[in-house]
Amino acid sequence: FYTYRRTAIIQLQLIRALTEDLALLRCQICIHRRPLPVILDRELCHGIGSVYLWEPMAELLRRTEGTVRSCWEQAVGELPGTAAQRLLPLGRLLTVGGETLAHAIDEVRDELLVLAREQQERQSVELRLSAAVCFSMAAFLLIVFV
């Protein structure tokens, strides 16, 4: 139960952190016109989003000769499936910048917010059920051994 609960909470925290990080990414790229490697190293280098997406992305950009899109696809591919599906299309637009990227980031942020709400509702029910099953099994084992 504890392992399942911890995994579920980390996934929800990751989705929320990425939602916040995307707002910062949008501001830095579209308004301040800063290069992606600088943003990854200075602005997006903290928190759970950094551990799961931004640091791997920065490392891929440093050590490979691939395009930004291929590095993005590889870094996003390591995320949980639902978040990865929503973030994947941004890879095509990262090099475009401007209003196109800004609108795309806003859409992905909205989708992630909806996903976070849905996942939180689903997790509360699933966690209650799994806790009930675990405690029922523990009680059953106590009764059997007594």
Side-chain angles (χ1 to χ4, degrees), residues 26-42:
R26 179 187 185 277
C27 177
Q28 293 297 320
I29 289 179
C30 300
I31 295 173
H32 298 294
R33 308 262 187 229
R34 296 181 68 196
L36 185 60
V38 173
I39 297 168
L40 295 175
D41 289 337
R42 293 187 185 158

mmCIF file of all heavy atoms in Angstrom, residues 26-42:
data_model
loop_
_atom_site.group_PDB
_atom_site.id
_atom_site.type_symbol
_atom_site.label_atom_id
_atom_site.label_comp_id
_atom_site.label_asym_id
_atom_site.label_seq_id
_atom_site.Cartn_x
_atom_site.Cartn_y
_atom_site.Cartn_z
ATOM 1 N N ARG A 26 7.563 29.110 -20.938
ATOM 2 C CA ARG A 26 6.882 29.990 -21.897
ATOM 3 C C ARG A 26 7.385 31.428 -21.757
ATOM 4 O O ARG A 26 7.705 32.091 -22.732
ATOM 5 C CB ARG A 26 5.375 29.938 -21.668
ATOM 6 C CG ARG A 26 4.579 30.838 -22.586
ATOM 7 C CD ARG A 26 3.100 30.839 -22.155
ATOM 8 N NE ARG A 26 2.261 31.569 -23.036
ATOM 9 C CZ ARG A 26 2.094 32.898 -22.997
ATOM 10 N NH1 ARG A 26 2.755 33.613 -22.123
ATOM 11 N NH2 ARG A 26 1.296 33.490 -23.854
ATOM 12 N N CYS A 27 7.461 31.884 -20.531
ATOM 13 C CA CYS A 27 7.912 33.255 -20.283
ATOM 14 C C CYS A 27 9.355 33.447 -20.755
ATOM 15 O O CYS A 27 9.667 34.434 -21.424
ATOM 16 C CB CYS A 27 7.786 33.560 -18.791
ATOM 17 S SG CYS A 27 8.378 35.183 -18.322
ATOM 18 N N GLN A 28 10.220 32.508 -20.425
ATOM 19 C CA GLN A 28 11.632 32.653 -20.765
ATOM 20 C C GLN A 28 11.892 32.566 -22.265
ATOM 21 O O GLN A 28 12.719 33.307 -22.798
ATOM 22 C CB GLN A 28 12.463 31.587 -20.031
ATOM 23 C CG GLN A 28 12.490 31.764 -18.536
ATOM 24 C CD GLN A 28 13.158 33.064 -18.127
ATOM 25 O OE1 GLN A 28 14.171 33.471 -18.700
ATOM 26 N NE2 GLN A 28 12.599 33.725 -17.143
ATOM 27 N N ILE A 29 11.181 31.676 -22.957
ATOM 28 C CA ILE A 29 11.404 31.526 -24.400
ATOM 29 C C ILE A 29 10.677 32.598 -25.197
ATOM 30 O O ILE A 29 11.251 33.258 -26.055
ATOM 31 C CB ILE A 29 10.973 30.122 -24.893
ATOM 32 C CG1 ILE A 29 11.951 29.072 -24.396
ATOM 33 C CG2 ILE A 29 10.907 30.070 -26.417
ATOM 34 C CD1 ILE A 29 11.604 27.655 -24.793
ATOM 35 N N CYS A 30 9.394 32.776 -24.911
ATOM 36 C CA CYS A 30 8.559 33.635 -25.756
ATOM 37 C C CYS A 30 8.675 35.119 -25.436
ATOM 38 O O CYS A 30 8.529 35.954 -26.322
ATOM 39 C CB CYS A 30 7.100 33.188 -25.655
ATOM 40 S SG CYS A 30 6.850 31.485 -26.186
ATOM 41 N N ILE A 31 8.923 35.462 -24.191
ATOM 42 C CA ILE A 31 8.992 36.879 -23.824
ATOM 43 C C ILE A 31 10.438 37.356 -23.735
ATOM 44 O O ILE A 31 10.815 38.353 -24.348
ATOM 45 C CB ILE A 31 8.251 37.128 -22.495
ATOM 46 C CG1 ILE A 31 6.758 36.836 -22.700
ATOM 47 C CG2 ILE A 31 8.455 38.566 -22.010
ATOM 48 C CD1 ILE A 31 5.931 36.866 -21.448
ATOM 49 N N HIS A 32 11.269 36.627 -22.976
ATOM 50 C CA HIS A 32 12.652 37.046 -22.774
ATOM 51 C C HIS A 32 13.604 36.562 -23.862
ATOM 52 O O HIS A 32 14.755 36.988 -23.900
ATOM 53 C CB HIS A 32 13.151 36.572 -21.403
ATOM 54 C CG HIS A 32 12.381 37.153 -20.273
ATOM 55 N ND1 HIS A 32 12.388 38.486 -19.952
ATOM 56 C CD2 HIS A 32 11.542 36.561 -19.384
ATOM 57 C CE1 HIS A 32 11.616 38.704 -18.912
ATOM 58 N NE2 HIS A 32 11.073 37.550 -18.544
ATOM 59 N N ARG A 33 13.143 35.644 -24.710
ATOM 60 C CA ARG A 33 13.923 35.123 -25.845
ATOM 61 C C ARG A 33 15.265 34.530 -25.414
ATOM 62 O O ARG A 33 16.289 34.744 -26.048
ATOM 63 C CB ARG A 33 14.165 36.216 -26.875
ATOM 64 C CG ARG A 33 12.919 36.928 -27.324
ATOM 65 C CD ARG A 33 12.448 36.374 -28.605
ATOM 66 N NE ARG A 33 11.341 37.189 -29.111
ATOM 67 C CZ ARG A 33 10.212 36.683 -29.519
ATOM 68 N NH1 ARG A 33 10.043 35.402 -29.541
ATOM 69 N NH2 ARG A 33 9.253 37.455 -29.939
ATOM 70 N N ARG A 34 15.248 33.775 -24.334
ATOM 71 C CA ARG A 34 16.467 33.139 -23.852
ATOM 72 C C ARG A 34 16.618 31.766 -24.498
ATOM 73 O O ARG A 34 15.635 31.098 -24.787
ATOM 74 C CB ARG A 34 16.411 33.012 -22.337
ATOM 75 C CG ARG A 34 16.394 34.405 -21.693
ATOM 76 C CD ARG A 34 16.365 34.363 -20.216
ATOM 77 N NE ARG A 34 17.642 33.838 -19.729
ATOM 78 C CZ ARG A 34 17.803 33.396 -18.502
ATOM 79 N NH1 ARG A 34 16.802 33.389 -17.652
ATOM 80 N NH2 ARG A 34 18.964 32.946 -18.103
ATOM 81 N N PRO A 35 17.842 31.326 -24.722
ATOM 82 C CA PRO A 35 18.071 30.002 -25.323
ATOM 83 C C PRO A 35 17.700 28.877 -24.343
ATOM 84 O O PRO A 35 17.859 29.012 -23.129
ATOM 85 C CB PRO A 35 19.563 29.983 -25.637
ATOM 86 C CG PRO A 35 20.162 31.167 -24.991
ATOM 87 C CD PRO A 35 19.073 32.077 -24.538
ATOM 88 N N LEU A 36 17.232 27.779 -24.893
ATOM 89 C CA LEU A 36 16.757 26.653 -24.094
ATOM 90 C C LEU A 36 17.816 26.103 -23.137
ATOM 91 O O LEU A 36 17.506 25.867 -21.969
ATOM 92 C CB LEU A 36 16.210 25.557 -25.009
ATOM 93 C CG LEU A 36 15.575 24.363 -24.317
ATOM 94 C CD1 LEU A 36 14.398 24.786 -23.449
ATOM 95 C CD2 LEU A 36 15.133 23.335 -25.347
ATOM 96 N N PRO A 37 19.066 25.875 -23.571
ATOM 97 C CA PRO A 37 20.050 25.340 -22.616
ATOM 98 C C PRO A 37 20.259 26.243 -21.396
ATOM 99 O O PRO A 37 20.423 25.762 -20.280
ATOM 100 C CB PRO A 37 21.333 25.228 -23.440
ATOM 101 C CG PRO A 37 20.867 25.082 -24.847
ATOM 102 C CD PRO A 37 19.617 25.924 -24.927
ATOM 103 N N VAL A 38 20.220 27.538 -21.587
ATOM 104 C CA VAL A 38 20.380 28.471 -20.465
ATOM 105 C C VAL A 38 19.185 28.385 -19.528
ATOM 106 O O VAL A 38 19.337 28.371 -18.300
ATOM 107 C CB VAL A 38 20.558 29.925 -20.990
ATOM 108 C CG1 VAL A 38 20.545 30.926 -19.849
ATOM 109 C CG2 VAL A 38 21.839 30.035 -21.800
ATOM 110 N N ILE A 39 17.997 28.285 -20.088
ATOM 111 C CA ILE A 39 16.780 28.159 -19.268
ATOM 112 C C ILE A 39 16.836 26.870 -18.458
ATOM 113 O O ILE A 39 16.505 26.864 -17.264
ATOM 114 C CB ILE A 39 15.520 28.182 -20.153
ATOM 115 C CG1 ILE A 39 15.394 29.518 -20.876
ATOM 116 C CG2 ILE A 39 14.270 27.916 -19.318
ATOM 117 C CD1 ILE A 39 14.350 29.513 -21.981
ATOM 118 N N LEU A 40 17.253 25.795 -19.086
ATOM 119 C CA LEU A 40 17.319 24.501 -18.390
ATOM 120 C C LEU A 40 18.338 24.526 -17.258
ATOM 121 O O LEU A 40 18.100 23.963 -16.192
ATOM 122 C CB LEU A 40 17.661 23.383 -19.377
ATOM 123 C CG LEU A 40 16.618 23.093 -20.456
ATOM 124 C CD1 LEU A 40 17.148 22.056 -21.428
ATOM 125 C CD2 LEU A 40 15.310 22.646 -19.852
ATOM 126 N N ASP A 41 19.464 25.187 -17.476
ATOM 127 C CA ASP A 41 20.521 25.211 -16.465
ATOM 128 C C ASP A 41 20.260 26.206 -15.342
ATOM 129 O O ASP A 41 20.690 25.979 -14.215
ATOM 130 C CB ASP A 41 21.867 25.532 -17.119
ATOM 131 C CG ASP A 41 22.386 24.377 -17.962
ATOM 132 O OD1 ASP A 41 21.970 23.229 -17.716
ATOM 133 O OD2 ASP A 41 23.195 24.633 -18.872
ATOM 134 N N ARG A 42 19.560 27.288 -15.619
ATOM 135 C CA ARG A 42 19.400 28.338 -14.604
ATOM 136 C C ARG A 42 17.999 28.435 -14.005
ATOM 137 O O ARG A 42 17.855 28.717 -12.823
ATOM 138 C CB ARG A 42 19.768 29.691 -15.207
ATOM 139 C CG ARG A 42 21.220 29.784 -15.547
ATOM 140 C CD ARG A 42 21.592 31.161 -15.974
ATOM 141 N NE ARG A 42 22.986 31.178 -16.414
ATOM 142 C CZ ARG A 42 23.486 32.077 -17.214
ATOM 143 N NH1 ARG A 42 22.733 33.047 -17.660
ATOM 144 N NH2 ARG A 42 24.749 32.022 -17.561
#
